[in-house]
Amino acid sequence: MILRRLVSVIFGSLVGIRNRLYLGGVIKRVDAGKKVISVGNLSMGGTGKTPLVLMLARFVSASGYNTAVIEKGYKSKLRFNELVLAEKGLDTVSSILIGDEASLIWENIPESTRLAVGGNKTQCAINIVDKWPDTEYIIVDDGFQHLKLKRNVDILLLDAETGFSDSLFPLGRLREPYGAMNRADVVVFTKAGRLTDDAKKTLVYEAQSFNPDVKIFFSSLDLRTGVSLETKRILPVSGICNNRHFLAALKEAGARFSSHVSYPDHYNYTGNDVRNMRMLKNETGSDYIVVTSKDWMKLRHM
């Protein structure tokens, strides 16, 4: 524990130095020349960035603006510094190549929306502008820590149930301390559907202690399924960072289950996994295997 605390202190110090170098102008930042909206978090996943990125892309596009989305393509088949650039309705994209989150974005963004997938978000923005100079808005998924690219709006997502109780890596899952919230223009507490009004007031008070001017919103999970799960016996399967909200939403939808299968975040499913799921479905007498839309991006090919 002492070693982990020491590593956490060193990690926090390095993050602080890096941030000061960027924000102080010592390391040059890149201006893409377009309106840039960043959607990010402080923790290592699990706050629901992808649904918000999709909502923003739909809203901005529906408002008549040429819109592009940048995705990292985590655990994709892309090589180092390799990029994918595509426009919805004109180009085709391999979901296996770009990864599950980017595939989910690609399949659900409106026609004519542009997508860039690559590990270097700044280079993605530059390539977007080079290929589509008429782009007006660029939405960056998981961009809060990517300080090299200047942005007009920083939206920071926090898990409402976790609140401010987490710790810096490796003691916890934070990539930055909560003080980094002073860079945010907007804070969205996600998965807040079960919070009381008093609990929400406490979160607002704590958030404003780090950033008095930040705009604060709350969001809740809206479960969408292809069929009604009321009274159905199911087998939930997920490979996401935090599945407790997924499981809770299934129970609230009236589904019945006594066990679930949990894989690591961004898990790459195999044919053997699918066979095991089917076998467990039969053993539990389940009507359905239920997965998240992100997991389905990988499982549907099987």
Side-chain angles (χ1 to χ4, degrees):
M1 179 61 75
I2 295 177
L3 179 59
R4 290 174 65 194
R5 287 186 182 279
L6 178 60
V7 173
S8 181
V9 170
I10 295 172
F11 176 73
S13 299
L14 292 175
V15 168
I17 292 171
R18 172 186 176 273
N19 291 350
R20 285 193 290 273
L21 290 175
Y22 272 113
L23 300 177
V26 178
I27 301 179
K28 185 178 179 182
R29 304 177 73 189
V30 174
D31 187 344
K34 307 295 180 181
K35 299 290 185 182
V36 176
I37 303 172
S38 165
V39 178
N41 57 10
L42 295 179
S43 63
M44 298 175 182
T47 55
K49 295 186 299 295
T50 303
L52 181 58
V53 168
L54 270 175
M55 186 190 79
L56 286 171
R58 290 168 177 161
F59 176 79
V60 176
S61 180
S63 299
Y65 298 104
N66 295 323
T67 309
V69 177
I70 294 177
E71 288 286 327
K72 182 179 181 179
Y74 184 69
K75 285 199 174 180
S76 69
K77 300 294 184 182
L78 294 174
R79 296 187 299 271
F80 181 71
N81 278 343
E82 185 178 11
L83 299 177
V84 169
L85 295 169
E87 183 171 346
K88 186 70 176 288
L90 294 179
D91 303 306
T92 58
V93 171
S94 166
S95 60
I96 297 176
L97 176 66
I98 64 175
D100 52 6
E101 286 182 347
S103 297
L104 187 60
I105 293 290
W106 173 251
E107 295 213 354
N108 290 279
I109 54 177
E111 293 288 302
S112 301
T113 304
R114 293 84 186 249
L115 176 70
V117 184
N120 188 328
K121 295 181 175 69
T122 300
Q123 192 59 50
C124 283
I126 293 171
N127 284 31
I128 286 171
V129 176
D130 286 344
K131 184 170 183 176
W132 301 293
D134 63 337
T135 300
E136 296 166 280
Y137 278 83
I138 298 175
I139 301 169
V140 185
D141 190 357
D142 198 16
F144 195 70
Q145 284 76 35
H146 193 80
L147 296 177
K148 188 171 184 64
L149 179 62
K150 288 185 178 181
R151 66 288 308 272
N152 300 84
V153 178
D154 254 312
I155 302 175
L156 182 65
L157 275 57
L158 295 175
D159 186 315
E161 290 190 357
T162 302
F164 296 89
S165 63
D166 207 348
S167 302
L168 269 178
F169 177 84
L171 290 175
R173 299 176 56 251
L174 290 183
R175 295 188 272 186
E176 293 187 80
Y178 289 115
M181 191 181 299
N182 61 10
R183 302 201 309 270
D185 301 290
V186 176
V187 165
V188 180
F189 287 102
T190 62
K191 306 169 187 175
R194 290 184 291 275
L195 288 189
T196 64
D197 289 341
D198 285 343
K200 290 180 180 180
K201 288 178 182 177
T202 299
L203 289 176
V204 169
Y205 174 79
E206 292 184 271
Q208 290 177 339
S209 71
F210 293 107
N211 186 343
D213 300 320
V214 71
K215 295 177 176 62
I216 300 172
F217 298 90
F218 290 88
S219 71
S220 58
L221 181 66
D222 182 14
L223 182 69
R224 305 281 178 93
T225 59
V227 296
S228 172
L229 298 179
E230 184 74 34
T231 72
K232 294 293 190 297
R233 183 175 294 279
I234 66 169
L235 174 65
V237 177
S238 61
I240 56 179
C241 185
N242 182 351
N243 67 6
R244 72 177 187 272
H245 298 284
F246 172 58
L247 298 176
L250 291 172
K251 289 181 179 177
E252 290 174 1
R256 295 179 295 151
F257 56 94
S258 56
S259 62
H260 65 275
V261 181
S262 179
Y263 292 96
D265 195 19
H266 298 282
Y267 182 72
N268 288 316
Y269 293 93
T270 65
N272 192 51
D273 294 322
V274 175
R275 286 189 289 273
N276 289 337
M277 287 178 210
R278 287 174 170 162
M279 185 170 61
L280 187 55
K281 172 185 177 290
N282 293 333
E283 290 176 357
T284 57
S286 298
D287 298 297
Y288 301 108
I289 296 172
V290 182
V291 301
T292 71
S293 51
K294 190 166 71 171
D295 292 309
W296 179 243
M297 292 295 107
K298 294 179 178 178
L299 285 168
R300 63 181 178 170
H301 299 292
M302 304 179 188

